[in-house]
Amino acid sequence: MDLYDALEGRRAVKHYDPSYVMPDAEIKELLRLALLSPTSFNTQNWRLVAIHDPKLRREIRAVAWDQSQVTDASLLLVLCGDLNAWRKEPHRYLKNSPPEFQEFIIPAIDAYYRDKEQVQRDEVMRSCGIIAQTLMLTAKAMGYDSCPMVGFDFSALGKLINLPDDHVVSMMIAIGKATAPANPHGGRLTVDDILVIDRFK
Ligand SMILES: Cc1cc2nc3c(=O)[nH]c(=O)nc-3n(C[C@H](O)[C@H](O)[C@H](O)COP(=O)(O)O)c2cc1C
C-alpha cells in the first residue's frame, strides 16, 4: 500500500479481533519504521511501552472507559516521553555527527531545555504526536488498523506501568485486525477553515 492509500484509508477503528496475534517480525518492522520519525535535536525522547500482559490490559481497560480496543487489539502501545532525554548522554543522539557540530549543538540543546518545564513537556508531546502518526500510517500500510487514545485516567495508567517521575504519558495506540469498520466520520473542516496566510487577523 502506498502512502496516499494509507492516508486515505486510516481511520480510528474501535473493534479488533482479540484472537489475532501480530507476528513479532511485523511488530519489530513497525517499530523500526516508527523510529524513523523526526525529533527536535534528534533527542528521540519517546519511550513506547508495549502492553503484552493480558491482566495488565484488563486493568488498563478498567481505567480507560472500558474501551474494548485496550484488551482486543493485537498491539497496545503507551506512548510516553522522557522529559529529561535532552540531558541524558546527549552524545548518543549525535554519534554520527562531526565533532565540531557536536561541540556546538550539545550546549545549544542544554540551553534550549534547562529549567524550562513547559518546553520539555511540549517537546515530548510533539515527538509523541509525530511518532503516533507514523505508527498509524505504517500499521495501515502493513494491513492493520489502529486507534489513537486519550480516553483514560492518565494518573491511574501511569501507576499501572510504573511511569518514572521524569516521564509523561502522551497517548495510547491500539493496533490490530479490525472486526468492524470505523464509525462514520464526524466530518472534516475545509482547508479554508484551518489555513491562515501570513498572520491571524
Ligand atoms: C489524540 C487522540 C486521542 C483519541 N482518543 C480516542 C479514544 O480514547 N477513544 C476512541 O475511540 N477514539 C479516540 N480518538 C479517535 C478520534 O475520535 C478520531 O481520530 C477522530 O474522530 C477522527 O476520526 P478518524 O481518526 O477516523 O479520521 C482519538 C484521536 C486522537 C488523535
Side-chain angles (χ1 to χ4, degrees), residues 10-12 14 67 69 147-151 171 185 188:
R10 185 216 56 81
R11 292 291 319 281
K14 298 168 197 289
Q67 297 190 74
Q69 309 91 297
C147 189
M149 301 179 68
V150 290
M171 69 181 91
H185 197 274
R188 294 194 166 84

